[in-house]
Amino acid sequence: MTCNFSRGITRRQFGAGAGALLGTMTGVSGLSSSLVGSRSYSFAGLSSGELPRRVLGRTGVEITTMTLGTAPCGLSPEIPVEEIGQIVLQAIELGINSIDTAPAYIKSEEAIGKVLGPYRKDVFLATKVWAKTVEEAEKSLARSFELLRTDHFDLVYYHSVGDYDPEAALAPGGVFSWLIKQKTAGKFRYLGISGHHRPGRFIPYLETGEVDVLLAVINFVDRHTYNFEETVLPIALKHNVGIIAMKVFGGARRSAGSYQNPKCPPELDTAYLESAVRYALGIPGVASLNLGAHDARQVEENIRLVKSYCPLEKKEEEELLALGRKLAKEWGEHFGPVT
């Protein structure tokens, strides 16, 4: 089956998607033929070296539908800083214009900082602040500037907001309120929130109208557990917040260790990775998938999967969600508590 892929989505299409999601949120639908197995698609106007882009909500920025996630390579003690830098350069060469990092990813910020200089203006660079107090946040952000060797960030997330009491973070002396001031001061262009669990805690931040981007768990298994799709995304879309999906493959497989193990496979079996990409990119409002990698091969494979995107048919959607419901019982609350 041929699937024609348009280059990104317009603001009008984004708004239409928001309305659809706010209305019934029944899932994704489209054109394809099977859940498992590779296939070939033809893409109108898309060259072999070009990644599609989508508008990141209210930011108006067009980012590639794959964001390079650097947690796996950054966290692995077996992968040196120099090799991480080469992975970053490869991703840029292959057309990725969106890169995600965080202080918690150990070597990631240092590695990116060593190689990004000549390409800085062409990359949408995001880092994170994971802190309970303003003092911790100040130290974190200052260190990120130092390691990444830049005078500004495109996006800074208040990371893992499920860990914090929203009332305290949103108070005048709270971390989120401090981050708003840093954005106003020009230290970064956009302010985001990110996290894996307690989806209910995301809503107070979104309702402030100060959040530009949301980074959240979106996959067809955890929809039945954390369900950001139905509890959080409608609020984000109401405020035209840009959405980036993470843990699209369910994160690192727990039985094989963690991201520290460079051979650790994803929680999802490889047979379903293509379906996972099709599910996540089909959710209204999702602009990009944050896909991490340990090595160059994984970067190339992730790009292939994203380039091969074709919307799910209704029957495929139903089968995939049924599979997800079954797997969710096995995975449980693997990212932390729901409430």
Side-chain angles (χ1 to χ4, degrees), residues 59 67 81 103 106 167 179 198 220 281 318 324:
T59 72
T67 291
V81 167
I106 314 298
E167 185 175 351
L179 285 169
R198 293 194 180 104
F220 66 88
L281 277 177
E318 293 170 351

Side-chain angles (χ1 to χ4, degrees), residues 155-172:
L155 171 63
V156 170
Y157 292 105
Y158 187 27
H159 185 49
S160 198
V161 296
D163 288 334
Y164 311 120
D165 174 14
E167 185 175 351
L170 294 169

Side-chain angles (χ1 to χ4, degrees), residues 18-27 223 230:
L21 189 62
L22 285 165
T24 58
M25 193 63 197
T26 57
R223 175 167 182 168
E230 293 182 303

Side-chain angles (χ1 to χ4, degrees), residues 293-319:
H294 281 112
D295 54 44
R297 179 194 60 79
Q298 289 178 356
V299 173
E300 292 177 355
E301 177 62 13
N302 289 340
I303 288 176
R304 184 194 69 78
L305 289 170
V306 171
K307 280 187 174 181
S308 298
Y309 168 68
C310 195
L312 292 166
E313 291 182 349
K314 186 64 177 177
K315 182 179 179 181
E316 290 179 300
E317 171 199 335
E318 293 170 351
E319 292 175 354

